[in-house]
Amino acid sequence: MAETPSLIDSEVFLAFSTYATVVVLKMMLMSPMTAYFRFTRKCFANMEDTGMAKTPEDKKRMLRVDPDVERVRRCHQNDLENIIPFVVIGLLYTLTGPDLSTALLHFRVFVGSRLFHTVAYVLPLPQPSRGLAWMVGMGATFSMAYRVLILGTLYL
Amino acid sequence: MAETPSLIDSEVFLAFSTYATVVVLKMMLMSPMTAYFRFTRKCFANMEDTGMAKTPEDKKRMLRVDPDVERVRRCHQNDLENIIPFVVIGLLYTLTGPDLSTALLHFRVFVGSRLFHTVAYVLPLPQPSRGLAWMVGMGATFSMAYRVLILGTLYL
Amino acid sequence: MAETPSLIDSEVFLAFSTYATVVVLKMMLMSPMTAYFRFTRKCFANMEDTGMAKTPEDKKRMLRVDPDVERVRRCHQNDLENIIPFVVIGLLYTLTGPDLSTALLHFRVFVGSRLFHTVAYVLPLPQPSRGLAWMVGMGATFSMAYRVLILGTLYL
């Protein structure tokens, strides 16, 4: 049932598949991390989530904003804002047929910068570590977008 | 103009197209739902949206946070955090050439779990219904990611 | 290394690549715009970002919510909620082999509506300019989703 040999035979595409999946899985892991902080900090957003409380006052107290939970949520939001564009532009870039070594460089720099970004955000590390990680990731995506646009601007 | 026969002839790809479109449309419908609650609750985020108010005091009163609006927005955010990863990993999974029946099982479990998640979040249903729906959806995406990684880890 | 001739030779696909990249880049530029407003308004979300402050009181004062920053962030969030669905459904639509002129119409209307939406949100322009831009963009995506579903519902 492997009807798509042209794509799946491409080494660049297999590399993109793997890096995109790794970085999207990393993004998805922010959800359980948020849940972990919500349970350990006893801090929830919905009344129906406060089942562990014994009294109505306890329930109300659990409906609050906790700085640790908010930090993880901001990191998750930053992932959405950066990793999704990488996946979209990275896929289009992959289909332009770049050299494997150039493509791998882009994918590795991006994924590495986002792994470091998460560590720098959650611990947190002192600035500008988080800011630099964010910029490096943006740069890798911009560099791939440049190639896509060069090959496609005839069709604007 | 059908220059892409290899993809479009694949039954798995057509199934993925359909399920991905259905679940992305479901996600998009959270926007009009938010608008509906904003108008019925008269609760807005921008001063220029309060045109229905007659006095400046009314305008200011409309710039508030409403629990029903926030609930729909949290559901929308959870969709972004879960449905986008499904679409990305599901597309890569589709291109690995899985069996149609296995692929359909993944797509149906995911889409079903997200439809139930929305109902459980908006009504709301008592926990753990929403939490279980979220976990089932995550599980379907992780299972597809596993196959993508197995086939691609040579290229990390 | 151009192993994917079927896709890359398609004019519709090249047009989609270009418009999708342009509108995703536009979305990414909301991040530096948020950073710009955070620095000029001296308003941050993380304690480690307030390095420019001289006293601990200054640091605390910088951890606040600023209406201009929040406006840009809401615009960014609206982009995530609308541009990502366009990219997903637009890619699937492209693979259904539509006419180039019809496809270009959809892509141009969507990208134009989102560029106008950003201007209308950030300045801001009086309503209903932002609301209409949002609806036009949704309409273009729904129209593409309709074609994808017509061709794929056999596989639900």
Side-chain angles (χ1 to χ4, degrees):
Chain A
M1 182 98 33
E3 293 97 342
T4 56
S6 63
L7 266 178
I8 215 62
D9 286 351
S10 154
E11 286 184 305
V12 177
F13 184 77
L14 278 170
F16 171 73
S17 282
T18 309
Y19 282 100
T21 302
V22 165
V23 80
V24 169
L25 286 176
K26 188 229 80 64
M27 180 172 79
M28 290 178 76
L29 289 178
M30 301 312 286
S31 286
M33 200 192 284
T34 304
Y36 168 79
F37 277 100
R38 284 203 182 284
F39 277 97
T40 54
R41 267 64 173 171
K42 295 191 181 170
C43 151
F44 299 95
N46 301 292
M47 186 54 92
E48 71 266 26
D49 301 350
T50 59
M52 59 162 69
K54 283 164 194 163
T55 63
E57 289 77 43
D58 270 3
K59 279 182 187 284
K60 270 185 201 159
R61 221 172 292 141
M62 288 185 185
L63 291 181
R64 59 186 176 82
V65 171
D66 179 89
D68 293 331
V69 172
E70 293 308 303
R71 177 173 288 277
V72 177
R73 292 184 63 221
R74 284 196 300 275
C75 184
H76 198 169
Q77 183 71 13
N78 196 281
D79 275 355
L80 284 171
E81 292 167 5
N82 287 275
I83 291 176
I84 310 288
F86 164 78
V87 169
V88 171
I89 291 173
L91 176 63
L92 300 174
Y93 167 81
T94 297
L95 297 174
T96 65
D99 282 340
L100 180 60
S101 57
T102 318
L104 279 175
L105 183 67
H106 282 91
F107 303 158
R108 283 172 183 159
V109 166
F110 182 84
V111 174
S113 77
R114 294 309 300 183
L115 294 177
F116 181 73
H117 180 273
T118 303
V119 174
Y121 214 146
V122 175
L123 283 182
L125 297 179
Q127 286 283 31
S129 50
R130 194 186 89 227
L132 287 177
W134 171 73
M135 274 183 211
V136 169
M138 292 276 274
T141 306
F142 283 145
S143 168
M144 294 191 298
Y146 177 75
R147 185 181 159 104
V148 174
L149 287 180
I150 288 292
L151 290 171
T153 33
L154 296 171
Y155 296 88
L156 261 184
Chain B
M1 181 99 33
E3 293 97 342
T4 55
S6 62
L7 265 179
I8 215 64
D9 287 350
S10 154
E11 285 184 305
V12 177
F13 184 77
L14 277 170
F16 172 73
S17 281
T18 309
Y19 282 100
T21 303
V22 165
V23 79
V24 169
L25 286 177
K26 187 230 81 64
M27 180 172 82
M28 290 178 75
L29 289 178
M30 303 311 287
S31 288
M33 200 191 283
T34 304
Y36 169 80
F37 277 100
R38 283 203 182 282
F39 277 97
T40 54
R41 267 63 173 170
K42 295 190 179 167
C43 151
F44 299 96
N46 301 292
M47 187 52 93
E48 70 268 24
D49 301 349
T50 59
M52 56 162 69
K54 282 161 192 166
T55 64
E57 290 78 41
D58 271 3
K59 278 183 188 284
K60 268 184 202 161
R61 222 171 292 142
M62 287 185 185
L63 291 181
R64 58 187 175 84
V65 171
D66 179 89
D68 293 331
V69 171
E70 293 308 303
R71 178 174 287 277
V72 177
R73 292 185 63 221
R74 284 195 300 273
C75 183
H76 198 169
Q77 184 70 16
N78 196 282
D79 275 356
L80 283 171
E81 292 168 4
N82 287 276
I83 290 176
I84 310 289
F86 164 79
V87 169
V88 171
I89 291 173
L91 176 64
L92 300 174
Y93 167 80
T94 297
L95 297 174
T96 64
D99 282 338
L100 180 59
S101 58
T102 317
L104 280 174
L105 182 68
H106 282 90
F107 302 158
R108 283 172 181 158
V109 165
F110 181 84
V111 175
S113 77
R114 294 310 300 184
L115 294 178
F116 181 74
H117 180 271
T118 303
V119 174
Y121 213 146
V122 176
L123 284 182
L125 297 178
Q127 285 284 31
S129 49
R130 194 186 88 227
L132 287 178
W134 170 73
M135 274 183 210
V136 169
M138 292 276 273
T141 306
F142 283 144
S143 168
M144 294 191 298
Y146 178 75
R147 186 180 158 104
V148 174
L149 288 180
I150 287 293
L151 289 170
T153 33
L154 296 171
Y155 297 88
L156 263 183
Chain C
M1 182 93 38
E3 294 97 342
T4 56
S6 62
L7 266 179
I8 215 64
D9 287 351
S10 154
E11 285 184 305
V12 177
F13 184 77
L14 277 170
F16 172 73
S17 282
T18 310
Y19 282 100
T21 303
V22 165
V23 79
V24 169
L25 286 177
K26 187 228 82 63
M27 180 171 80
M28 290 178 74
L29 289 177
M30 302 311 287
S31 286
M33 200 191 284
T34 303
Y36 170 78
F37 277 100
R38 283 203 183 282
F39 277 96
T40 54
R41 267 64 173 170
K42 295 189 179 168
C43 151
F44 299 95
N46 301 293
M47 186 54 93
E48 71 267 26
D49 301 350
T50 59
M52 57 162 70
K54 282 163 194 163
T55 63
E57 290 77 41
D58 271 2
K59 280 182 186 285
K60 269 186 201 160
R61 221 172 292 141
M62 286 185 185
L63 291 181
R64 59 188 174 83
V65 172
D66 178 88
D68 293 332
V69 172
E70 293 307 304
R71 177 173 289 277
V72 177
R73 292 185 62 221
R74 284 196 299 273
C75 184
H76 198 168
Q77 183 70 14
N78 196 282
D79 275 355
L80 284 172
E81 292 167 4
N82 286 276
I83 290 176
I84 311 290
F86 164 79
V87 169
V88 171
I89 290 173
L91 175 64
L92 300 174
Y93 167 82
T94 297
L95 297 174
T96 65
D99 282 340
L100 180 60
S101 58
T102 317
L104 279 174
L105 183 68
H106 281 90
F107 302 159
R108 283 172 183 160
V109 165
F110 182 84
V111 174
S113 78
R114 294 309 301 184
L115 295 177
F116 181 74
H117 180 272
T118 303
V119 174
Y121 213 146
V122 175
L123 285 182
L125 297 178
Q127 285 283 31
S129 50
R130 194 187 89 228
L132 287 177
W134 171 71
M135 275 183 211
V136 169
M138 292 277 271
T141 306
F142 283 145
S143 168
M144 294 190 298
Y146 177 75
R147 185 181 159 104
V148 173
L149 288 181
I150 287 292
L151 290 170
T153 33
L154 296 171
Y155 298 88
L156 261 183

